[in-house]
mmCIF file of all heavy atoms in Angstrom:
data_model
loop_
_atom_site.group_PDB
_atom_site.id
_atom_site.type_symbol
_atom_site.label_atom_id
_atom_site.label_comp_id
_atom_site.label_asym_id
_atom_site.label_seq_id
_atom_site.Cartn_x
_atom_site.Cartn_y
_atom_site.Cartn_z
ATOM 1 N N ALA A 1370 -0.028 -58.968 -133.434
ATOM 2 C CA ALA A 1370 -0.080 -58.875 -131.958
ATOM 3 C C ALA A 1370 1.196 -59.292 -131.398
ATOM 4 O O ALA A 1370 1.849 -60.142 -131.907
ATOM 5 C CB ALA A 1370 -1.303 -59.733 -131.502
ATOM 6 N N GLU A 1371 1.422 -58.768 -130.150
ATOM 7 C CA GLU A 1371 2.613 -59.078 -129.391
ATOM 8 C C GLU A 1371 2.512 -60.558 -128.935
ATOM 9 O O GLU A 1371 1.470 -61.032 -128.622
ATOM 10 C CB GLU A 1371 2.794 -58.167 -128.262
ATOM 11 C CG GLU A 1371 3.219 -56.839 -128.645
ATOM 12 C CD GLU A 1371 3.630 -55.890 -127.439
ATOM 13 O OE1 GLU A 1371 4.449 -56.403 -126.690
ATOM 14 O OE2 GLU A 1371 3.137 -54.796 -127.472
ATOM 15 N N ALA A 1372 3.612 -61.331 -128.783
ATOM 16 C CA ALA A 1372 3.564 -62.644 -128.308
ATOM 17 C C ALA A 1372 3.269 -62.428 -126.695
ATOM 18 O O ALA A 1372 3.539 -61.533 -126.077
ATOM 19 C CB ALA A 1372 4.985 -63.238 -128.280
ATOM 20 N N PRO A 1373 2.475 -63.495 -126.227
ATOM 21 C CA PRO A 1373 2.074 -63.318 -124.779
ATOM 22 C C PRO A 1373 3.168 -63.042 -123.852
ATOM 23 O O PRO A 1373 2.912 -62.309 -122.805
ATOM 24 C CB PRO A 1373 1.461 -64.773 -124.583
ATOM 25 C CG PRO A 1373 0.982 -65.106 -125.888
ATOM 26 C CD PRO A 1373 1.980 -64.701 -126.864
ATOM 27 N N GLU A 1374 4.407 -63.534 -124.051
ATOM 28 C CA GLU A 1374 5.509 -63.373 -123.080
ATOM 29 C C GLU A 1374 5.968 -61.895 -123.127
ATOM 30 O O GLU A 1374 6.635 -61.433 -122.270
ATOM 31 C CB GLU A 1374 6.615 -64.271 -123.261
ATOM 32 C CG GLU A 1374 7.238 -64.260 -124.680
ATOM 33 C CD GLU A 1374 6.412 -65.280 -125.708
ATOM 34 O OE1 GLU A 1374 5.468 -65.688 -125.426
ATOM 35 O OE2 GLU A 1374 7.088 -65.326 -126.761
ATOM 36 N N ASN A 1375 5.640 -61.098 -124.168
ATOM 37 C CA ASN A 1375 6.023 -59.654 -124.299
ATOM 38 C C ASN A 1375 4.986 -58.753 -123.825
ATOM 39 O O ASN A 1375 5.226 -57.549 -123.909
ATOM 40 C CB ASN A 1375 6.381 -59.455 -125.755
ATOM 41 C CG ASN A 1375 7.578 -60.288 -126.226
ATOM 42 O OD1 ASN A 1375 8.524 -60.631 -125.425
ATOM 43 N ND2 ASN A 1375 7.646 -60.506 -127.473
ATOM 44 N N LEU A 1376 3.877 -59.158 -123.407
ATOM 45 C CA LEU A 1376 2.820 -58.453 -122.955
ATOM 46 C C LEU A 1376 3.045 -57.991 -121.489
ATOM 47 O O LEU A 1376 3.716 -58.710 -120.679
ATOM 48 C CB LEU A 1376 1.441 -59.153 -123.168
ATOM 49 C CG LEU A 1376 1.033 -59.530 -124.563
ATOM 50 C CD1 LEU A 1376 -0.184 -60.511 -124.520
ATOM 51 C CD2 LEU A 1376 0.662 -58.228 -125.384
ATOM 52 N N PRO A 1377 2.383 -56.853 -121.146
ATOM 53 C CA PRO A 1377 2.249 -56.546 -119.722
ATOM 54 C C PRO A 1377 1.721 -57.680 -118.859
ATOM 55 O O PRO A 1377 0.988 -58.483 -119.395
ATOM 56 C CB PRO A 1377 1.457 -55.360 -119.598
ATOM 57 C CG PRO A 1377 1.401 -54.772 -120.968
ATOM 58 C CD PRO A 1377 1.554 -55.896 -121.888
ATOM 59 N N SER A 1378 1.957 -57.796 -117.633
ATOM 60 C CA SER A 1378 1.696 -58.963 -116.753
ATOM 61 C C SER A 1378 0.191 -59.425 -116.827
ATOM 62 O O SER A 1378 -0.063 -60.581 -117.084
ATOM 63 C CB SER A 1378 2.096 -58.770 -115.428
ATOM 64 O OG SER A 1378 1.415 -57.722 -114.822
ATOM 65 N N GLY A 1379 -0.697 -58.569 -116.814
ATOM 66 C CA GLY A 1379 -2.168 -58.929 -116.696
ATOM 67 C C GLY A 1379 -2.511 -59.497 -118.022
ATOM 68 O O GLY A 1379 -3.117 -60.523 -118.171
ATOM 69 N N ALA A 1380 -2.225 -58.803 -119.171
ATOM 70 C CA ALA A 1380 -2.598 -59.312 -120.548
ATOM 71 C C ALA A 1380 -1.843 -60.512 -120.787
ATOM 72 O O ALA A 1380 -2.345 -61.516 -121.438
ATOM 73 C CB ALA A 1380 -2.296 -58.237 -121.538
ATOM 74 N N SER A 1381 -0.551 -60.719 -120.262
ATOM 75 C CA SER A 1381 0.205 -61.941 -120.557
ATOM 76 C C SER A 1381 -0.383 -63.108 -119.856
ATOM 77 O O SER A 1381 -0.550 -64.219 -120.442
ATOM 78 C CB SER A 1381 1.605 -61.802 -119.990
ATOM 79 O OG SER A 1381 2.420 -62.894 -120.123
ATOM 80 N N ARG A 1382 -0.993 -62.870 -118.679
ATOM 81 C CA ARG A 1382 -1.547 -64.060 -117.920
ATOM 82 C C ARG A 1382 -2.768 -64.568 -118.657
ATOM 83 O O ARG A 1382 -3.086 -65.698 -118.767
ATOM 84 C CB ARG A 1382 -1.957 -63.580 -116.543
ATOM 85 C CG ARG A 1382 -0.733 -63.641 -115.500
ATOM 86 C CD ARG A 1382 -1.200 -63.515 -114.070
ATOM 87 N NE ARG A 1382 -1.948 -62.289 -113.889
ATOM 88 C CZ ARG A 1382 -1.501 -61.099 -113.575
ATOM 89 N NH1 ARG A 1382 -0.225 -60.895 -113.487
ATOM 90 N NH2 ARG A 1382 -2.327 -60.071 -113.302
ATOM 91 N N VAL A 1383 -3.569 -63.611 -119.177
ATOM 92 C CA VAL A 1383 -4.883 -63.919 -119.903
ATOM 93 C C VAL A 1383 -4.513 -64.665 -121.085
ATOM 94 O O VAL A 1383 -5.040 -65.738 -121.518
ATOM 95 C CB VAL A 1383 -5.714 -62.667 -120.213
ATOM 96 C CG1 VAL A 1383 -6.875 -63.033 -121.195
ATOM 97 C CG2 VAL A 1383 -6.245 -61.996 -118.913
ATOM 98 N N ALA A 1384 -3.488 -64.147 -121.882
ATOM 99 C CA ALA A 1384 -3.074 -64.747 -123.113
ATOM 100 C C ALA A 1384 -2.499 -66.142 -122.911
ATOM 101 O O ALA A 1384 -2.764 -67.042 -123.757
ATOM 102 C CB ALA A 1384 -1.972 -63.900 -123.871
ATOM 103 N N GLN A 1385 -1.819 -66.352 -121.789
ATOM 104 C CA GLN A 1385 -1.208 -67.755 -121.572
ATOM 105 C C GLN A 1385 -2.210 -68.603 -121.043
ATOM 106 O O GLN A 1385 -2.225 -69.858 -121.340
ATOM 107 C CB GLN A 1385 -0.053 -67.538 -120.636
ATOM 108 C CG GLN A 1385 1.112 -66.909 -121.360
ATOM 109 C CD GLN A 1385 2.343 -66.648 -120.343
ATOM 110 O OE1 GLN A 1385 2.301 -67.137 -119.191
ATOM 111 N NE2 GLN A 1385 3.399 -66.087 -120.988
ATOM 112 N N SER A 1386 -3.181 -68.148 -120.209
ATOM 113 C CA SER A 1386 -4.220 -68.897 -119.600
ATOM 114 C C SER A 1386 -5.364 -69.219 -120.637
ATOM 115 O O SER A 1386 -5.922 -70.415 -120.459
ATOM 116 C CB SER A 1386 -4.883 -68.285 -118.440
ATOM 117 O OG SER A 1386 -3.879 -67.986 -117.429
ATOM 118 N N TRP A 1391 -6.861 -65.366 -126.860
ATOM 119 C CA TRP A 1391 -5.910 -64.398 -127.233
ATOM 120 C C TRP A 1391 -5.676 -64.566 -128.711
ATOM 121 O O TRP A 1391 -5.585 -63.449 -129.418
ATOM 122 C CB TRP A 1391 -4.546 -64.742 -126.482
ATOM 123 C CG TRP A 1391 -3.376 -63.987 -127.149
ATOM 124 C CD1 TRP A 1391 -2.445 -64.382 -127.975
ATOM 125 C CD2 TRP A 1391 -3.308 -62.475 -126.946
ATOM 126 N NE1 TRP A 1391 -1.580 -63.451 -128.303
ATOM 127 C CE2 TRP A 1391 -2.227 -62.182 -127.766
ATOM 128 C CE3 TRP A 1391 -3.904 -61.528 -126.414
ATOM 129 C CZ2 TRP A 1391 -1.638 -60.931 -127.957
ATOM 130 C CZ3 TRP A 1391 -3.595 -60.200 -126.563
ATOM 131 C CH2 TRP A 1391 -2.324 -59.958 -127.336
ATOM 132 N N PHE A 1394 -8.642 -62.783 -130.412
ATOM 133 C CA PHE A 1394 -8.450 -61.265 -130.208
ATOM 134 C C PHE A 1394 -7.343 -60.765 -131.278
ATOM 135 O O PHE A 1394 -7.472 -59.798 -131.797
ATOM 136 C CB PHE A 1394 -8.048 -60.979 -128.806
ATOM 137 C CG PHE A 1394 -7.756 -59.530 -128.461
ATOM 138 C CD1 PHE A 1394 -8.806 -58.599 -128.467
ATOM 139 C CD2 PHE A 1394 -6.441 -59.213 -128.312
ATOM 140 C CE1 PHE A 1394 -8.429 -57.332 -128.283
ATOM 141 C CE2 PHE A 1394 -6.092 -57.849 -128.055
ATOM 142 C CZ PHE A 1394 -7.151 -56.872 -127.968
ATOM 143 N N SER A 1425 -6.438 -45.233 -122.070
ATOM 144 C CA SER A 1425 -5.812 -46.467 -121.793
ATOM 145 C C SER A 1425 -4.326 -46.290 -121.602
ATOM 146 O O SER A 1425 -3.631 -46.352 -122.751
ATOM 147 C CB SER A 1425 -6.196 -47.594 -122.732
ATOM 148 O OG SER A 1425 -5.500 -48.811 -122.478
ATOM 149 N N GLU A 1426 -3.860 -46.210 -120.446
ATOM 150 C CA GLU A 1426 -2.397 -46.060 -120.264
ATOM 151 C C GLU A 1426 -1.512 -47.150 -120.883
ATOM 152 O O GLU A 1426 -0.558 -46.982 -121.548
ATOM 153 C CB GLU A 1426 -2.028 -45.905 -118.778
ATOM 154 C CG GLU A 1426 -0.578 -45.622 -118.553
ATOM 155 C CD GLU A 1426 -0.288 -45.427 -117.033
ATOM 156 O OE1 GLU A 1426 -1.192 -45.511 -116.162
ATOM 157 O OE2 GLU A 1426 0.950 -45.117 -116.754
ATOM 158 N N GLY A 1427 -2.012 -48.372 -120.655
ATOM 159 C CA GLY A 1427 -1.299 -49.550 -121.182
ATOM 160 C C GLY A 1427 -1.276 -49.570 -122.649
ATOM 161 O O GLY A 1427 -0.248 -49.881 -123.188
ATOM 162 N N ALA A 1428 -2.380 -49.187 -123.331
ATOM 163 C CA ALA A 1428 -2.403 -49.233 -124.776
ATOM 164 C C ALA A 1428 -1.575 -48.038 -125.294
ATOM 165 O O ALA A 1428 -0.886 -48.272 -126.377
ATOM 166 C CB ALA A 1428 -3.870 -49.151 -125.231
ATOM 167 N N VAL A 1429 -1.518 -46.940 -124.575
ATOM 168 C CA VAL A 1429 -0.622 -45.839 -125.139
ATOM 169 C C VAL A 1429 0.756 -46.265 -125.007
ATOM 170 O O VAL A 1429 1.538 -45.972 -125.904
ATOM 171 C CB VAL A 1429 -0.972 -44.513 -124.368
ATOM 172 C CG1 VAL A 1429 0.106 -43.474 -124.516
ATOM 173 C CG2 VAL A 1429 -2.370 -44.008 -124.539
ATOM 174 N N HIS A 1430 1.118 -46.925 -123.877
ATOM 175 C CA HIS A 1430 2.572 -47.429 -123.772
ATOM 176 C C HIS A 1430 2.795 -48.531 -124.988
ATOM 177 O O HIS A 1430 3.872 -48.357 -125.535
ATOM 178 C CB HIS A 1430 2.712 -48.169 -122.473
ATOM 179 C CG HIS A 1430 2.821 -47.142 -121.272
ATOM 180 N ND1 HIS A 1430 2.609 -47.615 -120.026
ATOM 181 C CD2 HIS A 1430 3.009 -45.900 -121.195
ATOM 182 C CE1 HIS A 1430 2.866 -46.567 -119.186
ATOM 183 N NE2 HIS A 1430 3.061 -45.552 -119.873
ATOM 184 N N SER A 1431 1.983 -49.338 -125.162
ATOM 185 C CA SER A 1431 2.123 -50.376 -126.238
ATOM 186 C C SER A 1431 2.307 -49.746 -127.569
ATOM 187 O O SER A 1431 3.221 -50.113 -128.321
ATOM 188 C CB SER A 1431 0.936 -51.388 -126.196
ATOM 189 O OG SER A 1431 1.062 -52.302 -127.215
ATOM 190 N N HIS A 1432 1.396 -48.908 -127.841
ATOM 191 C CA HIS A 1432 1.421 -48.247 -129.254
ATOM 192 C C HIS A 1432 2.630 -47.243 -129.412
ATOM 193 O O HIS A 1432 3.192 -47.122 -130.436
ATOM 194 C CB HIS A 1432 0.133 -47.586 -129.626
ATOM 195 C CG HIS A 1432 -0.948 -48.581 -129.902
ATOM 196 N ND1 HIS A 1432 -0.874 -49.480 -130.976
ATOM 197 C CD2 HIS A 1432 -2.083 -48.807 -129.246
ATOM 198 C CE1 HIS A 1432 -2.091 -50.190 -130.852
ATOM 199 N NE2 HIS A 1432 -2.740 -49.899 -129.911
ATOM 200 N N ARG A 1434 5.655 -47.864 -127.863
ATOM 201 C CA ARG A 1434 6.754 -48.769 -128.076
ATOM 202 C C ARG A 1434 6.768 -49.256 -129.556
ATOM 203 O O ARG A 1434 7.769 -49.244 -130.159
ATOM 204 C CB ARG A 1434 6.723 -49.942 -127.145
ATOM 205 C CG ARG A 1434 7.174 -49.676 -125.718
ATOM 206 C CD ARG A 1434 7.253 -50.885 -125.012
ATOM 207 N NE ARG A 1434 6.086 -51.714 -124.799
ATOM 208 C CZ ARG A 1434 5.115 -51.484 -123.801
ATOM 209 N NH1 ARG A 1434 5.211 -50.564 -123.039
ATOM 210 N NH2 ARG A 1434 4.105 -52.300 -123.785
ATOM 211 N N ARG A 1435 5.603 -49.648 -130.021
ATOM 212 C CA ARG A 1435 5.567 -50.126 -131.428
ATOM 213 C C ARG A 1435 5.844 -49.099 -132.355
ATOM 214 O O ARG A 1435 6.524 -49.340 -133.368
ATOM 215 C CB ARG A 1435 4.018 -50.708 -131.703
ATOM 216 C CG ARG A 1435 3.858 -52.006 -130.891
ATOM 217 C CD ARG A 1435 2.353 -52.439 -131.130
ATOM 218 N NE ARG A 1435 2.021 -53.601 -130.280
ATOM 219 C CZ ARG A 1435 0.893 -54.230 -130.505
ATOM 220 N NH1 ARG A 1435 0.037 -53.878 -131.372
ATOM 221 N NH2 ARG A 1435 0.591 -55.330 -129.689
ATOM 222 N N ILE A 1472 7.667 -43.829 -122.054
ATOM 223 C CA ILE A 1472 8.440 -44.672 -123.005
ATOM 224 C C ILE A 1472 9.518 -43.989 -123.701
ATOM 225 O O ILE A 1472 10.550 -44.474 -123.742
ATOM 226 C CB ILE A 1472 7.415 -45.299 -124.001
ATOM 227 C CG1 ILE A 1472 6.292 -46.047 -123.295
ATOM 228 C CG2 ILE A 1472 8.147 -46.309 -124.948
ATOM 229 C CD1 ILE A 1472 6.674 -47.214 -122.231
#
Side-chain angles (χ1 to χ4, degrees):
E1371 291 186 48
E1374 60 273 8
N1375 295 333
L1376 296 169
S1378 61
S1381 178
R1382 282 192 305 275
V1383 171
Q1385 291 176 4
S1386 297
W1391 172 252
F1394 176 72
S1425 175
E1426 181 177 6
V1429 170
H1430 285 165
S1431 176
H1432 288 296
R1434 282 192 300 274
R1435 291 178 186 188
I1472 305 304

